[in-house]
Amino acid sequence: MASSKSLKENFLCSICLHVFTKPVAISCGHSFCFECINNFWDTRDRYLCPLCKEEFHSRPLLRVNIVIADMAAKLQKAVEEKSSGTSEQAAHGNVLCTMCTAPKLTALKSCLVCFMSFCETHLEPHQKISALKKHRLINPVENLESRICKTHDEPLELFCRVEQMFVCESCKSNDHKTHKIVPLEEEAQMRKTLLGIEKKHTDQMIQERQQKIQEIQNSVQASRNNAAKALSCSMHMMTAVVDYIKRSRAELTEVTETRQKRMETQAEGFIKGLEEEISQITRKNVQLNQVSLASDPFVFLENILSLTITPPQVKDWSDVTLNSDQFTVQGVLTELETTVMREISMLCDPDFKEKQRHAVDVTLDPDTANPYLTVSADGKQVTHGDRKRNLPNKPERFDHVHNVLAKEGFSSGKFYFEVQVKDKTQWCLGVANQSINRKGDIRLSPKYGYWTIWLKKEHDFIANADPAINLQVMEMLQKVGVFVDYEKGQVSFYDVDARANIFSFTGCNFTEPLLPFFNPCANDGGKNSAPLIITPVEYKS
């Protein structure tokens, strides 16, 4: 007697590998489920047997075999009872077997010829039947239709590197016969390799940026520590200086008072000696007066001969003086005050906010701008271009150097303005006399009516004095403040962010209106393309 397993195999459809449902037989003798064979033929342009590949000229007429259907129904009932406790094995996201009825199992392979995915059981015909062994099997995927060439109904198993698209064998022989065609696996492997290289590069970039973040964070922490040390040091040093000055003031007071008392005592001694000598001389003078009163010559001579005069004890006072200049410390103290204020202002000027209160509105005058310069419509920015513009050569225009002046002039009082110099490698700023020469080469110095500072070669700061003075700047400047005290004859430059004095021209003799002066310097191939920008003064009381 045949085993139950061999009996079941006799009633299995070779397409769905399940017990027949509405079994039908075609003229070649093979039987299939009614829906299975119809679905198979619906996806083909030819009518052939899935097993023996016999081709029919027309679609065969199908009729259900009632006897086999009844036997298959009984066998199916027994199979369902046996597997009623089995749950669906496909996990979320897995491709399910196309042929399985409930419960559906996870597919192991997908067939590009059958357009189906098969579990281990339904995959057996493709592993055993010669005709099915020729089918193209791939790892299970959804939407198998997308992997079929819409032109030739063949699997898209190749890749065209010229047009960057999937192709089938027929495409390769026709439209792409001159192109570089490779198997999908080769293209995928090549791209995976490139992707791995790119991923390695991106991982390195991420690592570098993470290291940079750490470096920046370390710098911030170091800056925080340095700031704390600087505050502590400044507090200690300022306290020490103030304490020293207080002690010096007390000491100077005591020394001055002691000197004054000593001089007064000395003066009293001199006066007492002089007064004693005056008394002696006075007594002698009285005696002489009494003798000289006699009008009789005999009596006069008698008195003179009888007169005994004791010469007064006196000394020469012509070289005796008192030094009143020993207290002339004003000059030294004034110099000390100037030095201390200058040095402190180089760290942080406590009067900086007061200077900002004298802020004025400054606007660039395009009629003075060199033809290589471009002034913005609002008159607040100036840049250097690579081409000379065709502009009228007005008397007030600079024709050789890259200068531009402000429209506003100032001939009294105090004024202040700020200029952004961020991202620039060269620039020059300051003020100039209204009558300065605008033509030809120009030397920037107070002698010729210019009070300016100059950044060159990105790091070299110079005060354009006579002679030029190299300046030490702690950090790269972002914004520069320019302050002028006309009556005092002073032009000062400030690091706005640090509120620190950069340099001051002092003792100037201004005799005419002063105009704010700007020079953005040459573009330098784009390295110095950033503009000079006159910015509003953000004064905080």
Side-chain angles (χ1 to χ4, degrees), residues 105 205 331 433 539:
L105 302 180
M205 292 175 65
N433 282 333
Y539 169 72

Side-chain angles (χ1 to χ4, degrees), residues 124-189:
E124 289 181 4
H126 284 76
Q127 298 170 336
K128 295 180 179 179
I129 300 174
S130 300
L132 297 180
K133 286 182 179 181
K134 299 178 181 179
H135 290 189
R136 171 70 168 161
L137 297 177
I138 61 173
N139 290 329
V141 295
E142 298 283 0
N143 193 18
L144 284 166
E145 291 79 2
S146 64
R147 298 172 181 253
I148 301 299
C149 177
K150 292 180 173 56
T151 303
H152 304 104
D153 290 329
E154 295 180 13
L156 297 170
E157 300 178 287
L158 305 172
F159 188 82
C160 176
R161 287 183 172 172
V162 176
E163 297 190 19
Q164 297 290 295
M165 61 182 294
F166 299 106
V167 295
C168 66
E169 285 290 345
S170 296
C171 292
K172 175 182 177 182
S173 303
N174 294 298
D175 297 339
H176 300 266
K177 60 184 178 181
T178 61
H179 296 172
K180 177 65 174 177
I181 306 297
V182 295
L184 292 181
E185 292 79 2
E186 180 180 338
E187 181 69 16
Q189 185 58 46

Side-chain angles (χ1 to χ4, degrees), residues 73-93:
K74 292 178 180 179
L75 184 60
Q76 179 65 25
K77 183 178 180 181
V79 171
E80 290 177 355
E81 290 176 355
K82 184 177 180 180
S83 60
S84 59
T86 305
S87 62
E88 194 166 302
Q89 298 179 22
H92 178 70

Side-chain angles (χ1 to χ4, degrees), residues 7 280 456:
L7 179 62
Q280 296 180 39
K456 68 174 185 176

Side-chain angles (χ1 to χ4, degrees), residues 5-6 16 20 95 112 143 182 266 324 399 425 444 458 476 502 541:
K5 181 176 180 181
S6 61
C16 68
F20 287 124
V95 178
L112 293 177
N143 193 18
V182 295
Q266 187 179 21
S324 61
D399 65 349
T425 58
L444 301 178
E458 195 170 355
M476 199 65 179
I502 302 170
S541 58

